[in-house]
Amino acid sequence: VRGGEYIGDELVPEFYLIRFHSLSADVVDKRILKISCVLKEVSDSDFGCRCAECYSRVVKNTCLGGCKNVRSVFSSYIRCVAEDGSSSAQLLFPHSLVPKLIRPPDTLEKIERYTTR
């Protein structure tokens, strides 16, 4: 989906990771690309509560950024190493995509319940 309009899979060009090394960031940010790759390892992850106002970590209902009225939200990310045969890359999956990586699907809900106690 781009700008609220669906783009069919057949219209998205195939791409290889090795080509990213020669592209500038502003070119990559404006393109929709399809890369077939294998996720080789999880290099970093974070699951926890963040302050809705300043996005600092929230521990025991206290904002570590110093906000007085704490409203916490559950947040997560997963950083992976991906390879496609031409090169490797670090991929950062934000909170909205984490449920697509974690199986079974209710695992993220269990982590959220545990971290928000």
Side-chain angles (χ1 to χ4, degrees), residues 51 54-58 62-68:
C51 174
C54 72
Y55 212 63
S56 294
R57 172 113 19 225
V58 172
T62 301
C63 171
L64 299 183
C67 295
K68 301 299 177 204

Side-chain angles (χ1 to χ4, degrees), residues 44-45 76-80 89-95 97 101:
D44 189 23
S45 63
S76 61
Y77 73 83
I78 295 178
R79 186 182 315 271
C80 298
Q90 290 267 339
L91 302 178
L92 179 64
F93 293 93
H95 182 72
L97 295 176
L101 295 174

